[in-house]
Amino acid sequence: INLNPINAVPHLTLSMGVIESADEAAITQALEALATKYRGLELNFASIFDAGFTTNSACGLGIEKTDDLMNLHHDSVALMRPYLEDYYQPDIFADHEQGLGESCMAWVKRFYTECIEENFDPHITIGFGDLAEIETMSFKAGHLALYQLGDYCSCRSLIGEFELSCT
């Protein structure tokens, strides 16, 4: 994973699924209202994670499950659920013609059955390899956004983005 602000944006996934492009306007409007509700959201780095799939696994920062983060996750899941489609084909991913990792489709398929509410595991993937120890820190979430996913479920194509920072 080569994280960058163009086509592999570092992110914390709140919800993931397949939606119709015709629903994007309604979803982005609802996300804008949700962003207003959670302005100033503070995130706390809690741990370093290693997915443990291989010797060169995905690694990143585990984020503490604060009440505010869990409420935002719950609200995001509730907002997206009515729009979810049961369509799982490679063309749901941006740049799918270039090939996809084996796990991409599996992550999207199982998100709403295995990764929400009490099973939500907030983290920010950094890349592959080993991550050195990092000091504990807190930071403000900058944006709430809707992306089309790319390989490795990276944030590839921006659909809508809303400021979370206090102004």
Side-chain angles (χ1 to χ4, degrees):
I1 302 172
N2 182 13
L3 296 177
N4 64 76
I6 307 297
N7 62 7
V9 178
H11 64 279
L12 189 156
T13 300
L14 296 166
S15 179
M16 184 185 330
V18 180
I19 61 168
E20 291 285 338
S21 58
D23 292 327
E24 289 174 3
I27 294 168
T28 54
Q29 185 176 8
L31 285 173
E32 185 173 21
L34 195 59
T36 301
K37 182 178 176 182
Y38 288 96
R39 290 211 191 280
L41 177 68
E42 188 163 306
L43 300 175
N44 302 312
F45 160 67
S47 63
I48 293 174
F49 84 87
D50 174 354
F53 302 130
T54 66
T55 54
N56 193 27
S57 278
C59 61
L61 305 177
I63 304 299
E64 180 184 350
K65 290 184 179 184
T66 62
D67 289 342
D68 285 343
L69 177 58
M70 292 306 293
N71 289 335
L72 175 56
H73 165 66
H74 176 80
D75 289 351
S76 298
V77 165
L79 182 154
M80 295 299 294
R81 194 180 297 271
Y83 297 103
L84 294 177
E85 296 291 325
D86 190 21
Y87 175 83
Y88 301 103
Q89 297 298 321
D91 65 346
I92 66 172
F93 294 92
D95 305 329
H96 64 276
E97 303 88 3
Q98 298 171 13
L100 299 170
E102 293 177 23
S103 63
C104 285
M105 197 70 67
W107 275 109
V108 175
K109 280 183 178 180
R110 71 187 189 103
F111 191 84
Y112 268 76
T113 58
E114 299 178 25
C115 302
I116 63 170
E117 304 301 342
E118 65 275 354
N119 294 326
F120 179 53
D121 181 21
H123 64 277
I124 300 171
T125 302
I126 301 298
F128 290 107
D130 295 321
L131 198 56
E133 288 298 318
I134 298 174
E135 285 187 37
T136 301
M137 64 179 138
S138 295
F139 54 97
K140 299 264 188 221
H143 299 90
L144 185 61
L146 179 65
Y147 277 88
Q148 181 181 15
L149 298 178
D151 199 13
Y152 299 105
C153 294
S154 59
C155 289
R156 190 60 55 99
S157 179
L158 180 65
I159 297 168
E161 179 178 46
F162 307 97
E163 190 79 25
L164 283 174
S165 302
C166 292
T167 54

